[in-house]
């Protein structure tokens, strides 16, 4: 099985549907996002499946990972993306990004930090899991991400209730960060440190 994929790393000059082999056991549908190796360096990049067809896939690179359980684009939206590509002189992937909601390209991460109030050290805390969260935060320098709290082994509900309790007591501050799912292209800029004179 061969998948024709619009790759995010393809610039306008080389924009076309690229062919990738679908590994055995992987279920793909047009409209799903996938991770594929691209270029000579085989750098993992995001793409969207446009079409599936039968054929010899022996010389093709394989799709590495399916990013969405269900298709995020309908066949009609894929046709719209093809129309936008021709009409607006953009890449297929850029046209797809214009169709989809912005929230799809971001993920959230909880960040927790101790406040200046350290009265919790002498206080009697009766909420299950709250003391463990405060001790962990203190060990980690006062702040951490939500992933670290799972290392405590608390149940999800217990952890959520303890965080809400600590935030209400103003011993803990909880913030939500929005991170891009893909990597942005960056450019290094150099500047002289010495005076030009």
């Amino acid at each position: 099985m061969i998948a024709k994929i619009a790759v995010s790393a393809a610039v306008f000059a080389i924009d076309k549907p690229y062919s990738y082999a679908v590994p055995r056991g992987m279920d793909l549908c047009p409209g799903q996002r996938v991770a594929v190796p691209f270029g000579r360096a085989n750098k993992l990049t995001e793409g969207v499946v446009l079409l599936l067809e039968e054929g010899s896939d022996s010389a093709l690179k394989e799709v590495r990972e399916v990013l969405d359980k269900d298709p995020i684009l309908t066949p009609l939206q894929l046709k719209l993306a093809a129309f936008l590509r021709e009409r607006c002189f953009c890449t297929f992937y850029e046209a797809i990004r214009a169709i989809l909601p912005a929230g799809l390209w971001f993920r959230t991460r909880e960040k927790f930090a101790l406040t200046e109030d350290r009265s919790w050290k002498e206080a009697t805390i009766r909420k299950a899991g709250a003391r463990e969260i405060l001790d962990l935060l203190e060990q980690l320098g006062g702040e951490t991400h939500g992933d670290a709290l799972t290392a405590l082994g608390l149940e999800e509900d217990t952890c959520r209730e303890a965080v809400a309790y600590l935030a209400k007591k103003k011993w803990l501050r909880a913030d939500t960060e929005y991170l891009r799912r893909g990597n942005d292209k960056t450019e290094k800029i150099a500047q002289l440190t010495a005076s030009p004179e």
Side-chain angles (χ1 to χ4, degrees):
M1 181 73 69
I2 296 173
K4 298 284 188 178
I5 296 175
V7 181
S8 64
V11 295
F12 185 75
I14 59 169
D15 183 46
K16 64 175 184 176
Y18 287 88
S19 297
Y20 285 89
V22 179
R24 293 191 189 282
M26 182 181 282
D27 291 328
L28 275 185
C29 297
Q32 281 183 306
R33 289 184 309 151
V34 292
V36 294
F38 186 73
R40 289 185 184 171
N42 287 328
K43 184 176 179 185
L44 217 57
T45 187
E46 194 172 297
V48 175
V49 178
L50 303 175
L51 177 71
L52 293 169
E53 61 187 20
E54 295 293 331
S56 174
D57 58 5
S58 58
L60 299 176
K61 298 176 187 178
E62 285 190 346
V63 175
R64 293 274 175 85
E65 183 183 357
V66 180
L67 302 177
D68 300 305
K69 193 170 85 171
D70 298 317
I72 56 172
L73 291 167
T74 64
L76 187 61
Q77 289 172 321
L78 288 171
K79 287 180 183 178
L80 176 62
F83 170 77
L84 283 174
R85 178 180 176 259
E86 295 301 319
R87 185 71 176 219
C88 299
F89 302 105
C90 62
T91 66
F92 217 125
Y93 195 81
E94 289 168 344
I96 289 169
R97 283 192 68 137
I99 293 171
L100 296 172
L104 186 66
W105 311 105
F106 291 89
R107 62 184 170 87
T108 58
R109 181 170 69 176
E110 294 294 322
K111 183 178 178 182
F112 303 104
L114 292 174
T115 60
E116 297 297 321
D117 183 6
R118 296 289 197 250
S119 62
W120 59 269
K121 290 188 176 186
E122 291 82 32
T124 303
I125 301 174
R126 292 188 176 89
K127 190 62 147 174
R131 174 68 69 179
E132 291 88 343
I133 291 172
L134 291 169
D135 290 338
L136 177 68
L137 281 167
E138 191 171 44
Q139 290 172 8
L140 296 173
E143 66 179 52
T144 188
H145 297 291
D147 302 338
L149 297 185
T150 58
L152 291 172
L154 299 172
E155 289 183 19
E156 189 176 331
D157 290 339
T158 304
C159 188
R160 186 173 51 250
E161 289 172 10
V163 166
Y165 168 80
L166 294 171
K168 185 178 177 183
K169 289 282 195 179
K170 299 197 186 316
W171 290 332
L172 177 115
R173 188 177 66 250
D175 298 312
T176 302
E177 294 179 319
Y178 295 94
L179 306 169
R180 294 184 64 82
R181 289 187 189 269
N183 296 328
D184 285 333
K185 293 181 182 175
T186 58
E187 185 176 328
K188 290 187 179 180
I189 299 174
Q191 181 177 355
L192 289 175
T193 55
S195 168
E197 296 171 0

